[in-house]
């Protein structure tokens, strides 16, 4: 997969990538990282069990999810605290104008 190739090229040793359905993942991780595949409430229900409870980072373990558009209503459904990072603050290309990384601590 592309993730495995990027991790190998960067010589990252702590990256695990699988191309399977989220609800089939059995391992636990510090962070679950994904592009948007469904609404956050549903994705959270599939993946929060895969996030380790003990954190060793300045950012608490959780979910990092790439989403686009107006997310206020969708994130209210989740009923959990979250952070929102606009990618347009980091990338100037038009593609990133409406894209965000949503961080949900678990």
């Amino acid at each position: 997969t592309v993730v495995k190739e990027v991790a190998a090229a960067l010589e990252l040793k702590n990256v695990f990538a699988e191309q399977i359905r989220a609800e089939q993942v059995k391992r636990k991780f510090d962070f679950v990282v994904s592009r948007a595949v469904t609404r956050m409430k549903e994705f959270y229900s599939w993946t929060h069990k895969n996030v380790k409870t003990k954190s060793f980072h300045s950012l608490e373990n959780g979910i990092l999810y790439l989403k686009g558009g107006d997310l206020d209503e969708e994130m209210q459904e989740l009923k959990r605290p979250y952070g929102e990072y606009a990618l347009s603050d980091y990338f100037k290309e038009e593609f990133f104008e409406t894209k965000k990384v949503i961080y949900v601590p678990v």
Side-chain angles (χ1 to χ4, degrees):
T1 68
V2 172
V3 172
K4 289 179 183 178
E5 291 174 19
V6 169
L10 295 173
E11 298 181 6
L12 299 175
K13 305 294 183 213
N14 62 347
V15 174
F16 179 78
E18 280 189 310
Q19 193 170 351
I20 63 172
R21 296 188 58 84
E23 55 273 37
Q24 295 175 317
V25 175
K26 303 295 182 211
R27 295 180 59 172
K28 290 194 177 264
F29 306 93
D30 294 345
F31 296 94
V32 171
V33 180
S34 181
R35 66 174 178 80
V37 292
T38 189
R39 293 179 76 81
M40 178 56 93
K41 183 177 179 182
E42 186 169 16
F43 187 77
Y44 181 88
S45 73
W46 294 341
T47 60
H48 76 279
K49 69 186 182 317
N50 300 102
V51 177
K52 293 178 184 175
T53 54
K54 187 163 183 154
S55 183
F56 298 98
H57 315 282
S58 58
L59 186 65
E60 288 183 47
N61 294 355
I63 297 168
L64 296 164
Y65 202 53
L66 176 66
K67 293 283 284 183
D70 183 3
L71 303 173
D72 291 339
E73 179 185 321
E74 178 176 343
M75 294 311 298
Q76 286 176 359
E77 291 174 3
L78 185 60
K79 296 182 171 65
R80 294 196 52 84
Y82 69 96
E84 188 174 292
Y85 302 92
L87 291 181
S88 60
D89 292 345
Y90 305 93
F91 302 100
K92 299 305 173 200
E93 291 83 2
E94 186 177 329
F95 173 80
F96 296 105
E97 284 181 11
T98 64
K99 302 292 189 257
K100 300 171 183 100
V101 171
I102 302 298
Y103 163 65
V104 180
V106 175

